[in-house]
Every structure is written in structure tokens, then in C-alpha cells.
Amino acid sequence: MGYYSEYLNMNIASNLEALSLERKKQLQKISSLRGNRDVLVYAADLNKQTNLIAIGYADLLPVSDQLSNLKGKKLDLILETPGGSGEVAEDIVRLLRGKYEEVSVIIPGYAKSAGTIIALSGDEILMGSLSSLGPIDAQMLAQNKQFSADALLEGMEKIKKEVLETGILNRAYVPILQNISPGELQNAQNAMEFARVLVKEWLVKYKFKDWTTHSSDGRPVTPEEKEKRAEEIAKSLSDHSRWKTHAKSLKIQDLASMKLKINDYTGTELEEAILRYYTLLEMTFSSTSIYKVIETVDSQIYRFLAQNTNVNPAQANGAVVEAKCQNCNHTSKIQVDFDQKRPLEAGTIEFPADNKIKCPSCKKEIDLGNLRQQLESQTKKKIV
């Protein structure tokens, strides 16, 4: 029986607290198998259609908060992300490196784009049969469209070459050129260089730090050879013409062909613990409105869609949260009391005992069962 079927048979798929306990159990096992290293999870639900799943500035505080709960000298980062801001990826790595002597990155599923940049900052990268990294060609946003910086620069070079060869500007290019400024072209070039420089710097400093001899003939590895290998890998990963699409999945074999060493955990006891955790993580995402999980063995921070659940777990006696109607988008403010009932705040309604309210706007019933589980799990208190 597969792990997913096993957990479904345990009837925990819709119970956030039970899912959390099982996830923690697997994180503890991963830590134990890895020599009792600290474990930090930074994961997003890739199936939720929202820009919030991307790596962004709002993630820095939760990551820093969860790191403050850890006391070791070596860290395993479990990473699941579609990518996002390269600048924030750099900030996250600096947070990790400011605290730990050694950082390894475990990829149970996908770490694309800026997630790949984070992965390449690891002293080691651990992957299995389901794991994928991706190209690091920088993505740009203009006129509400996302596109590859490398593809933009390549397209401009083709236009330039055609004009130089024929002496004529194809009129079809005019609308395109009118919407592109010199500043945008420079930004594209800067974005590409930023990703390559980060990857090259981190590979040399961390991934290659213990690469002292050539495996083929035992010759000493020189600093210049490390620089050259890192440059080749960074250039290959940012080569849009090679990968064709930003969403390309790069497996262990693809990375090995670039001479990037990956630790394959397939067939080990560690694989079971990682796949069990990954299954539980996916079940958590699919059964709730959680779109990000940032957690350790002993603590967690959840990020929710469409509901304001900004509650301080240590001090929460009550709070006001928001529930958004998925039918008409009307937002209801709901008062939550944990220790004892309080007078209702103006503009709020009481959290219903049966977890159901009717939207004041469209009269559609809204089920708050998941919200109750999320709040009680986060605060470790029962709603009264």
C-alpha cells in the first residue's frame, strides 16, 4: 500500500492537527537519520493558483522566526517552491548561513527558479526520483505578463541582427519595440547576471568547499578549477536556448551531466521518511486553505488564503479573523474566543458552534471547520 492510501485509511486527511502530528513525526525521523541535525521546512502549495505561493519578502519574518527555535550547528532545509524573488532567495540564504556552519537542501518535489538558486547554496543537495530543480533564467513582469529575461534579450539580438543584415526594420517589430525601453533591457541583463553571480559564488564557497581532488586521477583541485566549474554550471542553468521553457524539470541525471554532484537518497531509509513527510504535506495543502508551511520539528507557521488568521499562539485569548465567501467574495469578520466569551466587537459575529455561517451578501453557507482546525492547531487552544 502506498503512503497516500495508508494515511487516507487513517482518516486524517481532513484533520489538520492529526496531519501536523504525523508531519512532525516524520521530520523527527529525518533529523534522527541525518545525525540529529536541525530541520527547517519552507514549502508552498504549487497547486494553488495565486502569486502568494512565490518566494517573497513576506516570508523573511516567518523564516527568521522559525530559525530562532533551532539551536544546532547543522541544518537540513526541506524546500518546495515554484520560485519567486531572487533577491529574497539571497536574503533567505544569508539568514541560514548567518546561523549555521553547514546547510544541506532536501528537495522532495520541486524547487524551481529562485528555489534552484537557494538549493545551489547548499553544502549538499539531496534528491530522489520525484525531485526536480529548474533553470535559473530570470523572470520579468511587464504589462501584467511574465516572461524570461533571457528570451527578451535573445529576441532583441535577433531583431538587431536582421536589421544589420537587411538594412530594413520589419514593421511587425514596431509595436514590440515601442513597448520596450532601454531601461527594461538593462534590467533584463542585470537580472540574468544577478542569478549567475549568486550561483557561481555559492557553488565555490559552499558546494565545492570540500572538493579537493579530482576523482579521475587524484590531482589537487585548484581555486581556478572551482571557479571555472561553477561558471559552467551557472551558465548552463541560465541558458534559455538550451532548456526552451522556464518550467523545465531538471532531474538528477540532468544535473549530473553538468558535473553537479547530487546526493541521491533513493532506496534508503531516509527516502521513506522524506516521502512520508511530502505526502502529509501535500495532504495538508489539499485539504485546507494553507498555501505555505514554514516549520520545524517543534513549531510551525501557516499562511492561509482568503482568511485573516494572524493570531499570536503564545498570547492569544481571542482574535478577529476574516472568512471570505468563495461565491461572491464578501468578507465576514468573526470573533474568536479561546479562554472565555467576550463581548462582541463592533462589526463582528460570534464563531458558530456548528462551524457554519450564511454569507450576509449572497446567503450561501460557509463552512468554517477548516478555519477552526487551523486556529486551534496554531494556538493549541480550543475555541469556546
Side-chain angles (χ1 to χ4, degrees):
M1 181 185 294
Y3 304 136
Y4 203 99
S5 299
E6 177 184 333
Y7 290 126
L8 284 176
N9 289 341
M10 291 171 62
N11 294 318
I12 64 172
S14 60
N15 187 325
L16 182 60
E17 186 171 358
L19 285 169
S20 178
L21 289 173
E22 288 296 325
R23 288 200 319 274
K24 302 298 187 182
K25 184 187 300 183
Q26 296 308 318
L27 286 182
Q28 183 61 65
K29 187 171 183 180
I30 291 170
S31 174
S32 177
L33 290 170
R34 293 277 294 159
N36 295 316
R37 296 163 65 103
D38 285 350
V39 179
L40 173 70
V41 176
Y42 176 75
D45 184 356
L46 276 61
N47 292 310
K48 286 190 169 69
Q49 301 301 309
T50 170
N51 291 332
L52 294 173
I53 65 172
I55 297 169
Y57 286 103
D59 298 328
L60 291 176
L61 184 58
V63 169
S64 178
D65 177 87
Q66 291 301 282
L67 283 174
S68 68
N69 298 323
L70 301 173
K71 305 300 181 185
K73 294 182 179 181
K74 297 181 179 181
L75 175 74
D76 281 343
L77 172 68
I78 298 178
L79 186 62
E80 170 86 349
T81 177
S85 168
E87 292 82 359
V88 175
E90 180 185 24
D91 289 339
I92 288 174
V93 170
R94 300 210 185 285
L95 280 174
L96 303 182
R97 289 297 178 177
K99 183 179 178 70
Y100 288 97
E101 298 174 356
E102 184 179 308
V103 177
S104 297
V105 184
I106 298 174
I107 314 295
Y110 293 85
K112 298 298 185 70
S113 191
T116 295
I117 293 176
I118 293 176
L120 294 172
S121 73
D123 294 276
E124 61 175 342
I125 304 170
L126 292 86
M127 298 173 63
S129 58
L130 297 178
S131 311
S132 297
L133 298 183
I136 60 170
D137 56 317
Q139 299 292 287
M140 299 183 64
L141 187 65
Q143 301 176 10
N144 294 320
K145 292 183 179 180
Q146 184 170 297
F147 55 89
S148 164
D150 189 64
L152 171 62
L153 295 172
E154 183 182 351
M156 294 302 296
E157 281 300 315
K158 287 182 178 179
I159 294 174
K160 180 180 177 181
K161 181 179 179 181
E162 184 178 317
V163 171
L164 289 174
E165 290 176 349
T166 65
I168 300 173
L169 174 62
N170 189 324
R171 295 181 64 181
Y173 296 146
V174 173
I176 299 173
L177 296 174
Q178 286 177 333
N179 290 317
I180 299 174
S181 69
E184 287 174 317
L185 291 176
Q186 187 59 54
N187 287 340
Q189 187 64 51
N190 292 343
M192 290 299 303
E193 288 300 318
F194 177 76
R196 281 198 289 258
V197 168
L198 274 186
V199 168
K200 179 180 176 181
E201 173 190 337
W202 288 341
L203 284 174
V204 171
K205 189 174 183 179
Y206 303 119
K207 190 77 170 66
F208 295 166
K209 74 178 191 306
D210 294 326
W211 182 32
T212 56
T213 59
H214 289 275
S215 58
S216 58
D217 55 19
R219 286 185 301 107
V221 175
T222 66
E224 292 76 18
E225 287 175 319
K226 292 183 181 182
E227 291 272 348
K228 182 180 178 183
R229 175 70 60 82
E231 177 67 34
E232 290 170 349
I233 292 171
K235 184 177 180 180
S236 180
L237 286 171
S238 59
D239 185 357
H240 179 79
S241 63
R242 176 178 180 180
W243 307 116
K244 307 301 182 185
T245 171
H246 187 65
K248 172 72 175 177
S249 289
L250 303 181
K251 299 293 189 177
I252 293 175
Q253 298 87 339
D254 300 308
L255 301 167
S257 71
M258 301 177 208
K259 299 183 179 180
L260 179 63
K261 183 179 179 181
I262 302 296
N263 288 12
D264 186 353
Y265 56 70
T266 304
T268 68
E269 190 177 358
L270 180 63
E271 179 185 31
E272 179 180 345
I274 291 172
L275 290 183
R276 283 185 177 277
Y277 176 80
Y278 191 47
T279 301
L280 292 160
L281 179 68
E282 291 301 306
M283 294 179 81
T284 301
F285 283 141
S286 64
S287 63
T288 70
S289 61
I290 296 171
Y291 66 89
K292 272 185 185 170
V293 172
I294 304 168
E295 70 177 336
T296 70
V297 171
D298 300 311
S299 61
Q300 70 279 324
I301 291 177
Y302 297 136
R303 307 290 296 277
F304 303 96
L305 282 176
Q307 296 169 341
N308 177 8
T309 58
N310 186 20
V311 180
N312 186 324
Q315 301 176 349
N317 294 317
V320 174
V321 299
E322 296 178 352
K324 189 174 183 180
C325 176
Q326 299 301 311
N327 185 53
C328 69
N329 291 327
H330 177 83
T331 298
S332 299
K333 292 187 176 181
I334 303 169
Q335 180 168 310
V336 182
D337 298 318
F338 292 107
D339 292 328
Q340 59 184 10
K341 295 283 187 182
R342 300 171 298 147
L344 279 177
E345 296 184 21
T348 69
I349 60 176
E350 184 178 7
F351 201 108
D354 64 357
N355 300 325
K356 292 178 173 56
I357 63 171
K358 282 193 175 181
C359 173
S361 177
C362 69
K363 308 305 179 184
K364 183 178 177 64
E365 186 176 87
I366 303 173
D367 189 339
L368 304 178
N370 279 338
L371 178 58
R372 178 186 288 272
Q373 289 183 4
Q374 293 161 7
L375 290 168
E376 291 183 343
S377 176
Q378 192 170 357
T379 60
K380 307 301 182 185
K381 299 178 181 180
K382 294 293 184 182
I383 297 175
V384 296

